[in-house]
Amino acid sequence: MNAALKLIRQQRKALVGLVIISALCLMAILAPVIAPANPSARAGRSHQPPTLEHVMGTTKMGRDVYTQFVWGARTSIAVGFATGIAITVLGTVIGLIAGYAGGRTDAALDLATNAVLVIPNIPLLILLASFAGTVGPLAIMAIIALTSWPWGARMTRSQTLALRSRDFVTAARMIGEPGWRIIFVELLPNLLPLIGINLVGSIIYAIVAQTTLEYLGFGDPLQVSWGTMLYNAQNSSAIILGAWWDIGAPAAGIALIGLGLALVNFTFDEIANPQLRSGPALSLWLKLNRARNRHLEAAR
């Protein structure tokens, strides 16, 4: 843990990314404090440009863009993180089981993974959302999670297949360790960098997918989020009328959270990819390997 914290402090990109993510998450958590007004209430004239009273301007309906931006962050970030975690857990579990069990179990899970993988995600999301009609955040989370896990499952399965033939896994089998302990104690710690990459990528994808569905009109128009803000701005012809702030605010929020996550993902990628390891990432990787080797020697 200390080594990981030291790495984050030394990796400027990861530190900047964490600051951006933390600031946006803190803003979303403190929404009732920093933006106590009702985001759906009329607060000024139609498409009023940014002023001291309305720092991000107003929408066509006269709603305060700043208030909507703050409250919309709650929905967009919560859905993105929750869906990303669900995608990662589902993909990791399926990949671990398939890679470790092998045989018919691997063949069946691999067939299911490939079946979902070959279907284009965004068209499938649009098709499912069109059948469901107007859907809320929970329904969007379920649709995205159930259609987006195969990539993580494929990566986890591939790495698990490579690890299960390693000496420390073979030794664990020979001394009679149960399968669940081999998976959680021997295999899972070696997959953490890969799981981290999958988690960050899944969160980014979930936020973009949710925004896409809401922008196309499949979200709940009464639920304030960055996606519904873009949808309402499009319907009100904000760009044509020159109300750039109506679209600029939610677009900036999505870009910032994506930038923060991408910067954090760079550190995970350095740890997981041997060709990119250098400096602090290489030092942490060597420390983790030495710690694992000491653990294995003590177990023997």
Side-chain angles (χ1 to χ4, degrees):
M1 181 61 70
N2 291 333
L5 292 176
K6 184 179 180 181
L7 171 65
I8 291 173
R9 287 195 299 268
Q10 293 176 343
Q11 287 285 337
R12 294 182 179 179
K13 292 181 180 179
L15 186 59
V16 171
L18 285 175
V19 169
I20 294 173
I21 296 169
S22 300
L24 289 173
C25 290
L26 187 62
M27 179 190 71
I29 293 170
L30 297 178
V33 178
I34 62 177
N38 184 354
S40 299
R42 186 178 182 88
R45 302 191 312 273
S46 176
H47 279 160
Q48 182 179 344
T51 61
L52 291 177
E53 184 181 2
H54 304 288
V55 293
M56 290 186 179
T58 62
T59 67
K60 182 180 180 180
M61 301 298 293
R63 296 165 180 164
D64 185 64
V65 174
Y66 167 74
T67 304
Q68 289 205 324
F69 175 78
V70 173
W71 283 92
R74 273 195 156 191
T75 303
S76 294
I77 294 176
V79 170
F81 274 78
T83 308
I85 292 171
I87 293 172
T88 304
V89 170
L90 190 58
T92 300
V93 170
I94 292 175
L96 269 171
I97 294 174
Y100 179 75
R104 293 182 178 179
T105 302
D106 181 26
L109 291 176
D110 191 43
L111 178 62
T113 302
N114 290 332
V116 180
L117 193 62
V118 297
I119 302 174
N121 277 9
I122 295 299
L124 177 61
L125 288 173
I126 295 173
L127 179 64
L128 293 175
S130 63
F131 275 108
T134 300
V135 292
L138 290 178
I140 289 177
M141 286 171 53
I143 292 173
I144 296 174
L146 292 175
T147 57
S148 308
W149 56 267
W151 284 108
R154 291 280 293 184
M155 290 192 300
T156 304
R157 173 185 175 272
S158 176
Q159 191 66 18
T160 304
L161 286 172
L163 288 172
R164 74 174 185 177
S165 59
R166 299 284 292 273
D167 292 340
F168 63 93
V169 176
T170 303
R173 286 175 178 164
M174 290 178 66
I175 63 176
E177 289 189 359
W180 65 267
R181 191 180 186 282
I182 294 176
I183 290 175
F184 288 103
V185 177
E186 307 293 346
L187 295 177
L188 193 59
N190 289 280
L191 295 172
L192 288 180
L194 183 66
I195 294 172
I197 294 172
N198 185 24
L199 174 61
V200 175
S202 297
I203 293 173
I204 295 174
Y205 174 78
I207 292 175
V208 172
Q210 178 212 9
T211 303
T212 301
L213 289 177
E214 292 178 336
Y215 177 74
L216 294 175
F218 295 109
D220 184 358
L222 300 179
Q223 182 74 44
V224 179
S225 70
W226 289 340
T228 55
M229 287 179 68
L230 290 173
Y231 172 73
N232 292 329
Q234 178 204 26
N235 284 346
S236 63
S237 303
I239 291 295
I240 297 176
L241 297 174
W244 53 267
W245 54 88
D246 204 356
I247 289 180
I254 296 168
L256 279 173
I257 193 69
L259 174 63
L261 290 167
L263 291 173
V264 172
N265 196 42
F266 181 81
T267 301
F268 285 118
D269 200 23
E270 271 197 331
I271 298 171
N273 190 343
Q275 297 179 349
L276 298 178
R277 289 188 195 121
S278 62
L282 177 61
S283 175
L284 175 60
W285 181 76
L286 292 173
K287 288 179 180 179
L288 292 174
N289 270 326
R290 285 197 294 267
R292 181 174 62 81
N293 291 334
R294 286 196 299 268
H295 169 73
L296 291 175
E297 290 174 2
R300 295 191 187 102

